[in-house]
Every structure is written in structure tokens, then in C-alpha cells.
Amino acid sequence: MKKLIIEGGVPLKGIVSASGAKNAVLPVIAAALLSNGVSYIDDTPWLADVRTMCRTLEQMGVRSDYQKGLLALDSAGLCETCAPEEFVRRMRASFLLMGPILSRMGQVKMSLPGGCAIGSRPIDLHLKGFEAMGAEIVLGNGYIDARAKRLKGARIYLDFPSVGATENIMMAASLAEGNTIIENAAEEPEIVDLAIFLGAMGAKIKGAGTKIIRIEGVTSLSPARHSVIPDRVEAGTFMMAAAATGGSVIIDNVIEEHLKSVSAKLQETGSSVTENYGSIKVTAGGHISASDVKTMPYPGFPTDMQAQIMVHLAQADGCSVITETIFENRFMHVGELRKMGADIKIEGHSAVVNGVPRLRAAKLRATDLRAGGAMIIAALAAEGVSEITHLQHLERGYENICQKLASLGASIKVVEE
Ligand code: UD1
């Protein structure tokens, strides 16, 4: 078993660059299936989730080649409409393959998806969208089978602005007959990035990044080349690490607008945040002020940064209330932080965080991907040597995290037992 050993108490200092966004590249890879040829995706982060997606596609006849950030995907050979179960169960985002395969091949069969254990995470909104577009959906024992000769455009209202459902419906609608309108669509930057890639393939999409997206279906899409946006969650994790360790870090390769809610919270808690054309500098203040946080769909504070800001606020002067509104079971990191002396109580969907002067080192577990990011920040901020296990979660979403943190002065290494 691999584990991370971190000696905390060192303020992070220096410059680090964010990688391409995991949550942007996965839907873009899925969208490449809508064409019949080779698409190129620049700035692809070589993460476990990306490798899993590529391996899934290889079993379905889609060849992939990765070299130094450039992923080539040849979707001409797509011949299989049944996604391999072992991969789908491992990763929830594999469900993003459903829309493109259904739209291009007329049928698709998939197991129910897996991913982080952060709540029940149903897929009803995705299915509701496909059904509205005329797909016949059969739910079997642990799998879903969907068929439609050609999907038809429809008006689809999402009860919640689900990121995945918006993406899946956008992809399916791009090759459907007629016009689709998605109302109460998700507005996340990753939706806009996907729309840009689909547009380069020849799709006709208007309104991505707003609550109403209009898609005019076309009969075919061509392969295209696309650069993935920077990972705002990875960048946000470095911002939080700088603030929580009392350091000063410049994060390069960011889109500042995507991080406004994180920057605002850091400023409110006493850090200085300066933006400079594609980079953000975070310098910790003398002390950390308490602040309440509520996770919301974009442009609100991201649920994927909730665990990381909790570490920061665990060392604040005073009491903060962190409310999670997106996922029902996303406080698994609280138990780990308590091992470090954090004073946190859970009350329903909120965590009441009474700041303590300093966290202490402990043996920690990365309970999910972003909680893993939070454990790293906590270990960096704490006095003493901490260990973090269950690194497979971290490998899903943080590219070269050890090297990047070591370049900022962190004492961090991976050991194998
Ligand atoms: C995406 C991100 C994830 C992020 C989340 C919210 C990817 C690969 N993952 O996940 O990192 O935390 O957005 O910003 O992009 N829901 C339903 N029915 C559905 C779909 C969703 O009830 O059909 C619920 C979910 O259970 C959850 C909420 O809606 O409570 C948000 O989910 P959604 O926006 O779909 O997240 P994902 O696309 O899975």
C-alpha cells in the first residue's frame, strides 16, 4: 500500500501551475465519440480517471494515444454499444458516454456508474432528458439500456442544474433531429468548455454558461482539436494550501473568473489575493478570520472546495458554519480532521467549525478525491509528521501533486509499504 508522508509546519512559497481540468476533459473525451475520426485534446491531465476513460473506450473500439499533454482519440472504430462494467462501476463520469453513444449508434447499454462515495448521486435527470428526446429506456438489474433510432430535439427542464445531465443532454442533442432547449441548465465553466469543443466539431449551441442552452441538431459532427481549460479545483486547492500554511504562492495557468468565490472567501478570512492575467497570488494574513460558507452551483462556492476550506477554517479565530447543499454525504473528512484536534460538529447539512490555534499531525485517510486534497492541506499546516493513505482517490484528480507541492517547499514523499 502506498502512503504519503508529510512533515507539516512549512509555509508554502513559490510558483505552481495548474493542470488541465479533470472535469472538463472527461466530457470532452466523451464528446469526441460523436464524430468519426481523430480528435486531439491539448492540456489533458494524465490522471487515473482519464486513463480509466481511455481504457473503457479502447474496449469499445476507440483508439487513444497520449503524449505530453496531447490526447489523440480515434473514434472511427467505435463498434461496441455496451460499456465495460468494471470501468463504469469505477467512475461516475463514465456515464457521460451514454449521450454520445446513444446519439451516434442508436443504442447504449451501461452499468450503473460508480465514483466517490459522496451521496446517492442518482442519474434520473440524465435519463429524463434522453426520454424527452424519444429514447426508450429499460432499467435492468444494475444496468440501463437506452435505444432511439434518432433522438428528437425537446424542451427539457432540469429540476436541479446538474452538471453531468446538462453535458450528457448537450452532447446527445447535438446529433438529434430538431431543436433542444435545456432550461435550468448548469452554468459551470466546464459546460462552456464542452460547448466550445462541440462547436469546433460543427454543433450549433447557444447559451452555454447560462441557465438556458439552445441546441440545433445537425446530421454529423467532425473531429476537432481543443485545449482543455485549467483545473479550477486544483488551483483552488493550492490557494487554500498557501493560506492554511501561512505561505505565499502564485498559481499560474488559471482563469481568475472561475475562482471568484474561492478568492472572495480567502480575502474574507484575511488572506491577500491578487490576480494578474492568468495567475493568482495568495498570501496568508497574520491570522485567519472565521467565515460561513455555503456550497452552491456555479458561480457559487464549489462543493469540490468544501473540504479544503474546512481545513483552513479549522484554524480560524472563532466559529464558522459550512453548509453543503449539493451532495448529501460530503462530510467524511470531518472524522479525519477531528483526529488532528479540529473542533467540528455536524448538524444536518452543516458543519460547525470552532477554530483551534493549530492542527496536529495524525494518520489520515483520503476518504474521497477532494477530501484527499483537504487531508494534504491539513497535514501541510499541522505540526509534526502526518501519513495519508488511500491515495487512489487523490490519483483520480490531482496531477503530479507531490512534485508540485515539493516545488513549493513542502516536505512530502510517497512511500510504499
Ligand atoms: C460534477 C463534477 C463533480 C462536482 C459536481 C457538482 C464531473 C466529472 N464531476 O459531478 O466534481 O462535485 O459536478 O459541481 O464533472 N443529481 C440528481 N439527479 C441526476 C444528476 C444529479 O439528483 O440525474 C444530483 C446529485 O445527486 C447531486 C447534485 O445533483 O446531489 C449535483 O450533481 P451533478 O451536478 O450532476 O454532479 P456530477 O455531474 O455528478
Side-chain angles (χ1 to χ4, degrees):
M1 191 176 66
K2 283 198 292 186
K3 59 185 178 185
L4 270 181
I5 308 287
I6 296 177
E7 185 169 353
V10 182
L12 297 186
K13 289 211 164 65
I15 304 179
V16 69
S17 194
S19 297
K22 169 181 92 73
N23 287 353
V25 77
L26 294 173
V28 164
I29 292 173
L33 301 190
L34 289 162
S35 76
N36 191 349
V38 187
S39 287
Y40 294 93
I41 310 169
D42 290 288
D43 298 324
T44 296
W46 200 228
L47 299 164
D49 272 8
V50 175
R51 294 193 289 271
T52 303
M53 192 78 144
C54 290
R55 261 185 274 145
T56 309
L57 294 179
E58 266 157 31
Q59 294 205 12
M60 303 177 78
V62 177
R63 289 214 311 261
S64 60
D65 178 57
Y66 178 84
Q67 313 242 351
K68 294 186 184 145
L70 177 64
L71 178 66
L73 279 174
D74 184 354
S75 56
L78 177 65
C79 53
E80 187 53 74
T81 56
C82 180
E85 181 178 348
E86 48 174 313
F87 292 122
V88 177
R89 288 211 184 274
R90 203 183 296 170
M91 188 173 80
R92 178 176 165 87
S94 54
F95 204 71
L96 292 170
L97 299 174
M98 192 163 186
I101 296 174
L102 174 62
S103 206
R104 179 170 154 199
M105 310 288 279
Q107 58 178 334
V108 62
K109 185 173 173 185
M110 298 195 77
S111 313
L112 289 168
C116 283
I118 53 175
S120 61
R121 302 185 83 172
I123 44 169
D124 54 312
L125 299 171
H126 302 238
L127 300 182
K128 189 176 149 187
F130 299 144
E131 254 174 347
M133 297 169 85
E136 198 179 303
I137 293 179
V138 177
L139 291 177
N141 191 10
Y143 70 87
I144 293 164
D145 186 291
R147 284 160 200 260
K149 260 206 179 108
R150 186 165 181 212
L151 292 170
K152 293 200 169 36
R155 180 182 279 265
I156 298 160
Y157 177 86
L158 297 179
D159 298 330
F160 181 86
S162 154
V163 175
T166 303
E167 293 167 342
N168 233 339
I169 295 167
M170 255 167 69
M171 293 188 279
S174 294
L175 275 187
E177 186 185 336
N179 297 333
T180 297
I181 300 179
I182 311 174
E183 291 170 329
N184 199 27
E187 298 170 87
E188 268 68 1
E190 293 75 19
I191 306 278
V192 179
D193 202 45
L194 174 62
I196 292 170
F197 179 56
L198 287 167
M201 296 174 82
K204 295 189 173 166
I205 301 177
K206 285 192 181 135
T210 74
K211 290 215 162 295
I212 298 182
I213 303 178
R214 292 184 163 78
I215 304 131
E216 188 185 328
V218 296
T219 49
S220 68
L221 292 167
S222 320
R225 186 159 187 156
H226 180 71
S227 283
V228 172
I229 51 168
D231 197 311
R232 62 195 168 101
V233 182
E234 186 202 11
T237 303
F238 287 124
M239 290 166 73
M240 224 42 91
T245 60
S248 180
V249 174
I250 294 173
I251 301 111
D252 266 345
N253 189 36
V254 297
I255 297 174
E256 302 92 294
E257 288 72 22
H258 295 173
L259 283 150
K260 287 288 179 201
S261 60
V262 175
S263 297
K265 274 293 151 193
L266 278 175
Q267 283 169 322
E268 218 176 290
T269 57
S271 295
S272 125
V273 179
T274 42
E275 299 174 347
N276 188 15
Y277 304 107
S279 78
I280 294 183
K281 181 176 183 186
V282 176
T283 303
H287 76 284
I288 303 168
S289 307
S291 174
D292 295 341
V293 177
K294 195 179 210 178
T295 63
M296 298 290 273
Y298 188 83
F301 192 88
T303 174
D304 284 353
M305 285 297 302
Q306 181 253 106
Q308 298 91 314
I309 201 164
M310 190 179 291
V311 175
H312 182 54
L313 294 173
Q315 305 178 104
D317 291 337
C319 176
S320 310
V321 178
I322 302 179
T323 305
E324 173 59 55
T325 74
I326 309 292
F327 290 111
E328 63 194 37
N329 180 22
R330 207 170 194 182
F331 284 138
M332 284 181 297
H333 45 279
V334 169
E336 302 303 301
L337 292 176
R338 283 195 191 125
K339 289 184 199 164
M340 308 180 84
D343 178 357
I344 307 172
K345 288 182 201 68
I346 308 231
E347 290 179 6
H349 293 294
S350 297
V352 180
V353 184
N354 274 304
V356 295
R358 198 79 198 251
L359 296 173
R360 25 170 222 274
K363 292 191 173 177
L364 304 165
R365 193 163 65 95
T367 50
D368 66 51
L369 165 56
R370 302 307 171 188
M375 289 309 114
I376 291 183
I377 300 171
L380 291 169
E383 205 72 73
V385 178
S386 294
E387 289 181 16
I388 305 176
T389 58
H390 294 72
L391 304 186
Q392 72 278 11
H393 291 300
L394 277 159
E395 287 161 0
R396 290 186 41 223
Y398 287 102
E399 192 180 43
N400 299 331
I401 184 84
C402 283
Q403 292 92 317
K404 288 188 182 187
L405 287 168
S407 77
L408 298 175
S411 164
I412 179 168
K413 62 179 180 202
V414 183
V415 296
E416 209 141 341
E417 275 190 335

